[in-house]
Amino acid sequence: MNGLKQWTWVAAMALLVLTAMAAEGGKADKQGKKERKSDCGDWQWSVCVPNEGDCGLGTREGTRTGTDCKQTIKTQRCKIPCNWKKKFGGECKYDFQAWGECDLATGKKNRTGVLKRALMDATCAATVTATKPCGKILKTKLQVSAKPWHQGLKR
């Protein structure tokens, strides 16, 4: 009986070792597949093109190079938020300072924005400057009345 227990134990250990070796062999195959995938270049994405207008849902196209790549071109859905400053590109968002003082020579005021966030591989300037008209410049008027206020009252 004792010999049968030893034989069962040896068989179980051998089965365990064979299972571990088979698992290691599978990992080696997977690493080889990863190496083959590295022949493909990184995806290069175009800018997001809205379906309608200049913001909202749209698409972008991605391309990559490589000899053994199964897919070299693909299209992806994207979105350009409508509240972003489109003057600086719909894919770039900036933190702006307060408006500066009005330049009386040009009639405009400026403020500077620093890049806060860019969408998916967008090329954005690090800082931008926005200008706008000063608006109405208030001129102080001297209030001169022809006659004192109490003289116009009826009694």
Side-chain angles (χ1 to χ4, degrees), residues 20-140:
M21 289 174 61
E24 288 296 319
K27 286 182 183 177
D29 290 342
K30 288 181 183 176
Q31 288 174 352
K33 288 181 182 177
K34 285 182 184 177
E35 290 172 9
R36 278 185 252 136
K37 285 184 181 178
S38 67
D39 291 343
C40 296
D42 291 335
W43 286 102
Q44 300 296 319
W45 294 98
S46 66
V47 294
C48 185
V49 178
N51 296 337
E52 290 182 25
D54 55 356
C55 63
L57 294 176
T59 55
R60 72 172 66 239
E61 189 174 89
T63 58
R64 68 177 176 178
T65 57
T67 55
D68 295 331
C69 296
K70 291 181 180 177
Q71 188 176 16
T72 56
I73 297 174
K74 69 179 176 180
T75 304
Q76 183 182 64
R77 287 190 284 170
C78 58
K79 182 179 179 182
I80 297 177
C82 292
N83 61 346
W84 285 26
K85 299 280 183 192
K86 292 166 202 67
K87 180 179 179 181
F88 308 112
E91 298 184 333
C92 308
K93 186 161 184 155
Y94 294 91
D95 275 329
F96 282 93
Q97 300 171 345
W99 288 102
E101 294 295 319
C102 182
D103 182 4
L104 296 175
T106 61
K108 295 185 178 189
K109 51 185 172 180
N110 300 326
R111 69 177 179 172
T112 305
V114 178
L115 183 63
K116 178 179 180 181
R117 183 174 53 210
L119 290 179
M120 294 284 289
D121 300 332
T123 357
C124 303
T127 58
V128 293
T129 304
T131 60
K132 75 174 185 177
C134 294
K136 294 182 180 178
I137 300 172
L138 298 174
K139 295 181 180 177
T140 56

